[in-house]
Amino acid sequence: MTTASDRYLAELIDRLQTIRTTLATPMEEAVAAIVEAARSDHRLFVFGTGHSHMLAEEVHYRAGGLAITVPILAGPTMLHEGAVAGTQYERTQGIARAVFERYTIGEGDVLFVISNSGVNAAPLEAARVGRERGAKIIAITSKSYSTAAAKGGDRLMDLADIVLDNNAPPGDAVLDVPGSELKVAPVSTAIGVAIINAILAEVATRLAGDGEAPIYLSANMPGAGDINRKLVERFRPRNPHL
């Protein structure tokens, strides 16, 4: 008998295998955009609300991660200061514009906007603000979810220069609960993290070919203290979270 955990892992593997093929072209476009930004001393900003904010934290000051990344983080739009309130904030016009006042994102930068449903006000506004400032916009979203949820309204995937469809279903959860109409086991976070790390791995490889890839080391690895200190000193002026 197949357990729920086995079925979830099989679902996740299958969806990852699918995006490996379907996202080959847009992921290459994303890599090229980020490499171009890095070579010109620009930054990669990452924004998401609710659970999507975890992708911004995933790339921030991370062992094996690139120091060109800047998370855009605001407590009220996340979960830890109140999940119910956070849901209301991410649906409120003006929130993202106010949050972005803290960040130097501008011409030549790249902005990742992550929203699984692709219809909430804050991520849509984030994409618009980033575009107004001259940044290239890359969306990680579910095309099927946003199509089902938009009800004729705007969708993140229509505002982005590059769209990365995470292949998550409407509602995100993929497993039926026996005896009910409920579902469990969401996939968007796991897939989103895989997408962004795969892209940044290729970016790092190409930057290393230029002679330098600004990569953080785990704090417990030999030499990490000196390497990370130099990277922080270099990138802190444009990253308020360092």
Side-chain angles (χ1 to χ4, degrees):
M1 181 177 180
T2 303
T3 65
S5 57
D6 287 337
R7 287 189 288 124
Y8 175 70
L9 292 174
E11 275 274 357
L12 195 55
I13 291 168
D14 182 63
R15 291 173 188 275
L16 287 169
Q17 290 283 17
T18 297
I19 66 170
R20 188 179 185 184
T21 301
T22 59
L23 294 188
T25 296
M27 284 179 68
E28 169 57 31
E29 293 172 352
V31 168
I34 298 167
V35 168
E36 180 181 357
R39 286 172 175 167
S40 303
D41 195 31
H42 291 288
R43 300 291 178 267
L44 170 63
F45 292 81
V46 185
F47 176 79
T49 61
H51 289 91
S52 294
H53 91 271
M54 289 189 286
L55 271 70
E57 291 186 329
E58 169 69 18
V59 303
H60 176 51
Y61 197 60
R62 184 64 190 264
L66 285 167
I68 64 169
T69 58
V70 182
I72 297 177
L73 303 171
T77 67
M78 292 150 64
L79 300 167
H80 61 288
E81 294 183 4
V84 175
T87 299
Q88 294 303 313
Y89 276 118
E90 70 178 359
R91 295 176 176 177
T92 302
Q93 295 289 344
I95 292 294
R97 189 171 294 277
V99 169
F100 272 58
E101 290 301 314
R102 186 182 184 189
Y103 301 89
T104 60
I105 182 170
E107 190 77 34
D109 292 320
V110 175
L111 171 63
F112 263 107
V113 181
I114 300 97
S115 174
N116 191 40
S117 67
V119 298
N120 288 326
L124 296 182
E125 187 174 59
R128 293 189 181 103
V129 172
R131 184 180 295 279
E132 289 171 10
R133 294 195 187 181
K136 184 177 287 290
I137 311 302
I138 303 175
I140 298 180
T141 189
S142 167
K143 287 185 176 181
S144 62
Y145 194 171
S146 59
T147 298
K151 299 177 182 178
D154 292 338
R155 303 174 300 180
L156 176 60
M157 66 183 188
D158 299 322
L159 302 176
D161 299 295
I162 300 169
V163 179
L164 302 169
D165 182 5
N166 65 15
N167 195 32
D172 202 1
V174 295
L175 298 184
D176 295 324
V177 177
S180 77
E181 296 182 359
L182 301 174
K183 287 181 176 289
V184 294
V187 294
S188 63
T189 301
I191 294 173
V193 166
I195 289 172
I196 203 165
N197 278 326
I199 288 170
L200 294 185
E202 182 62 27
V203 170
T205 299
R206 297 188 189 184
L207 293 180
D210 293 342
E212 179 195 22
I215 299 170
Y216 290 115
L217 270 64
S218 172
N220 296 310
M221 295 298 289
D226 187 52
I227 290 172
N228 291 347
R229 177 182 54 79
K230 290 178 180 178
L231 288 174
V232 168
E233 289 175 353
R234 175 181 171 187
F235 290 98
R236 176 176 275 158
R238 284 181 284 174
N239 185 342
H241 299 289
L242 283 174

